[in-house]
Amino acid sequence: MTKSAWQQEKDFRDSAVPVDRRKAAASWEHVADFPHGDGLLRWHWNVRVPGSLAPDIFFMGMVQDWANQGYDVREAEALLPEGIQFEREGRIEELRVLSARIMQILKEAPKIPGHPYHQYEHPASWEEVRAAMPAAADNLPRPAWKDRYNEQIYQGWLGQMAGGSFGTAIEGYTGERIHQVYGEVRGYLIPPETTNDDVVYELLLMDVFERLGRKITSAALADEWVKKLPYGVSAEGTALRNINLGIYPPESGTFLNPYCDWIGAQMRGMICGMLSPADPMEAARLAHVDGVVSHARNGVYGEIYAAVITSLAFGMEDPREIILEGARYVPAGSEYAAQLAFCIETVKTAIDPQTAWKILEKHFERYNWIHAYPNLAADVLALWYGQGDFTESMALLASAGLDVDCNGGLVGNVLGILKPVPSVWADPLGDLLETYIAGKEKLSIRALAEKTVVLAQK
């Protein structure tokens, strides 16, 4: 009997032993010559995550997430072992046909009657999303600018860079496997590497925001993606394909995009919060404008939540209160809201973070390591039990594993806004952000923060 896609992926992930980054180098050289044709096809069947060298199979994740969204994918699941074998043996012609067949199956897959995913409400337009938020009735005016926001934005960027760099070396593995190789991880394992595929989307949003201000549109962001991005992965890669075919937002985030509930929007919501200090509804609106370029439904709500808790950190002090208040900005009838509520109830009632994570890890075992939900759980765990301590919070993220660089970026950004990033984390960054975007290869973190301050006052 064929295992379901989530069981296949879980077995694959559980067996992956981390490559010790203290001994093995990694690079982003693939960006200069990103695979295409048969090379790209094989890449989707057998890839190594650039920063950590963790193994991954995107076709498996694709089928897994379509099942999570309530579609009958049993035919596609049955083909996965054969596809893995074809790639390993270099049987390219057979791999081409099998891959096309999987895409056809997913495109035509019927919805499973009564599946939980279809029982939730998933508003799409900003007006519908806002109306479904418990916070919609607040109608708070835009707050006046405070001088302290300048430094908070800088510290937020430092926290994001530190947390992201910390997580880059260990992303894509389970917490158990990370501990097996490294023990308890409470600091940088290697000199921090700020290059990743998370922050580049924030930089592009800033460029469009600089031109259009708060009249920024999803279509303008889509144009910027096509103009500047050399490649994209999972939801972002699918969105780029769609946009290049003339399928613009919001359809770019939904059309044949099984990854639309993954973390790719949640990982980049922080800039929307920093452009809207202590103005969570505006942060949520900007996150929606950005999120629908590549995601839909719960994937977009993930970016909204990330943006909101970042914004709230400018005017609140307790990470736990930020978590709770942020939940009021998630559409109440959505699956994301239900999963967030489960996370909050778990950390409220568990006797310690280890017990809480065992419960959360089991609850989210059906989801890919790049999905928004299990990583949301890790974020809540770290912010709840870390109690504002940067090192303790990062250690909790490492103990959870999964998409640690995305989670470190979000948690680090929130914590940096709350209080200055400790020098042991900030100093090794050397005021340097490196990216693969032409014209932005080496950036000053201080200058980036100063630009953010200017834009946030528009």
Side-chain angles (χ1 to χ4, degrees):
M1 181 178 177
T2 302
K3 288 185 176 181
S4 63
W6 78 262
Q7 290 172 315
Q8 293 182 56
E9 201 281 332
K10 185 176 186 300
D11 290 345
F12 180 76
R13 189 67 40 206
D14 287 347
S15 66
V17 178
V19 175
D20 193 335
R21 282 297 322 282
R22 296 168 299 188
K23 302 175 182 177
S27 76
W28 289 80
E29 292 178 356
H30 69 283
V31 175
D33 187 23
F34 195 70
H36 58 277
D38 288 337
L40 182 59
L41 178 63
R42 297 188 72 172
W43 188 90
H44 277 93
W45 282 98
N46 182 11
V47 65
R48 289 277 176 173
V49 178
S52 65
L53 303 177
D56 209 353
I57 302 172
F58 279 106
F59 262 90
M60 186 180 291
M62 187 189 309
V63 177
Q64 177 187 19
D65 202 55
W66 216 231
N68 290 149
Q69 293 181 47
Y71 291 93
D72 185 342
V73 297
R74 286 174 292 181
E75 285 185 65
E77 288 172 335
L79 295 177
L80 290 173
E82 197 172 14
I84 294 170
Q85 181 180 353
F86 286 166
E87 194 287 323
R88 286 177 180 167
E89 297 176 358
R91 295 160 64 180
I92 301 303
E93 292 182 350
E94 292 160 292
L95 185 64
R96 291 174 189 159
V97 174
L98 181 139
S99 301
R101 286 294 188 185
I102 287 179
M103 294 303 298
Q104 179 193 31
I105 292 167
L106 296 185
K107 178 177 177 292
E108 299 175 356
K111 288 184 177 181
I112 300 172
H115 190 281
Y117 192 90
H118 307 309
Q119 310 308 308
Y120 293 99
E121 299 172 1
H122 294 125
S125 71
W126 167 243
E127 292 74 20
E128 293 168 336
V129 169
R130 190 185 191 284
M133 294 177 179
D138 293 353
N139 288 320
L140 300 175
R142 183 180 178 183
W145 185 265
K146 293 181 172 58
D147 290 341
R148 60 180 169 81
Y149 292 166
N150 297 36
E151 181 63 18
Q152 284 181 293
I153 286 173
Y154 173 56
Q155 293 296 328
W157 273 119
L158 281 179
Q160 183 183 150
M161 295 302 101
S165 299
F166 165 77
T168 294
I170 52 177
E171 67 167 322
Y173 299 107
T174 65
E176 181 180 353
R177 289 296 192 180
I178 291 170
H179 190 272
Q180 176 184 333
V181 172
Y182 298 111
E184 186 179 19
V185 185
R186 300 184 64 83
Y188 296 122
L189 289 168
I190 57 176
E193 300 171 345
T194 55
T195 304
N196 62 45
D197 58 351
D198 305 346
V199 70
V200 294
Y201 299 96
E202 296 179 279
L203 299 179
L204 297 186
L205 185 145
M206 289 177 67
D207 286 347
V208 180
F209 193 94
E210 188 172 23
R211 297 195 302 270
L212 301 180
R214 299 192 182 274
K215 294 182 180 180
I216 188 171
T217 67
S218 303
L221 282 168
D223 287 341
E224 195 73 8
W225 280 32
V226 170
K227 181 163 59 175
K228 294 292 188 180
L229 288 175
Y231 83 110
V233 173
S234 60
E236 296 75 45
T238 302
L240 271 176
R241 176 206 67 195
N242 288 341
I243 297 165
N244 278 300
L245 290 173
I247 304 170
Y248 267 64
E251 288 79 12
S252 56
T254 60
F255 182 72
L256 285 182
N257 189 355
Y259 312 108
C260 63
D261 281 345
W262 279 20
I263 199 175
Q266 186 170 284
M267 75 182 184
R268 63 183 195 254
M270 296 81 77
I271 184 58
C272 301
M274 289 192 287
L275 289 172
S276 312
D279 191 359
M281 190 59 77
E282 174 62 5
R285 185 188 71 83
L286 291 176
H288 182 272
V289 170
D290 181 63
V292 297
V293 176
S294 56
H295 288 70
R297 298 180 295 277
N298 303 291
V300 175
Y301 310 152
E303 178 163 0
I304 288 174
Y305 188 66
V308 165
I309 63 175
T310 302
S311 175
L312 290 171
F314 285 92
M316 300 178 71
E317 298 180 355
D318 185 348
R320 294 187 175 186
E321 293 302 317
I322 290 172
I323 289 171
L324 298 175
E325 177 63 15
R328 299 181 62 244
Y329 292 82
V330 177
S334 66
E335 187 178 52
Y336 194 97
Q339 301 294 10
L340 175 57
F342 181 86
C343 294
I344 291 172
E345 183 62 24
T346 299
V347 296
K348 275 184 175 181
T349 56
I351 59 174
D352 55 40
Q354 292 76 28
T355 302
W357 185 248
K358 285 182 180 178
I359 295 170
L360 293 168
E361 189 173 42
K362 179 64 177 177
H363 180 75
F364 292 111
E365 68 179 355
R366 290 176 173 266
Y367 295 93
N368 192 276
W369 70 276
I370 313 176
H371 196 285
Y373 295 163
N375 291 291
L376 167 68
D379 297 334
V380 170
L381 181 89
L383 288 170
W384 191 271
Y385 288 106
Q387 299 182 19
D389 182 276
F390 201 96
T391 299
E392 186 61 30
S393 300
M394 292 300 127
L396 286 166
L397 290 178
S399 71
L402 307 175
D403 208 336
V404 192
D405 66 326
C406 293
N407 299 335
L410 172 55
V411 171
N413 202 317
V414 170
L415 295 179
I417 293 169
L418 289 175
K419 59 184 179 183
V421 177
S423 59
V424 68
W425 289 95
D427 291 351
L429 295 172
D431 192 42
L432 177 64
L433 166 60
E434 295 184 283
T435 85
Y436 50 76
I437 299 296
K440 301 180 186 295
E441 291 84 357
K442 293 183 184 294
L443 300 175
S444 160
I445 300 173
R446 172 69 75 177
L448 180 62
E450 291 171 352
K451 178 179 178 179
T452 308
V453 168
V454 172
L455 297 181
Q457 296 180 73
K458 284 195 170 188

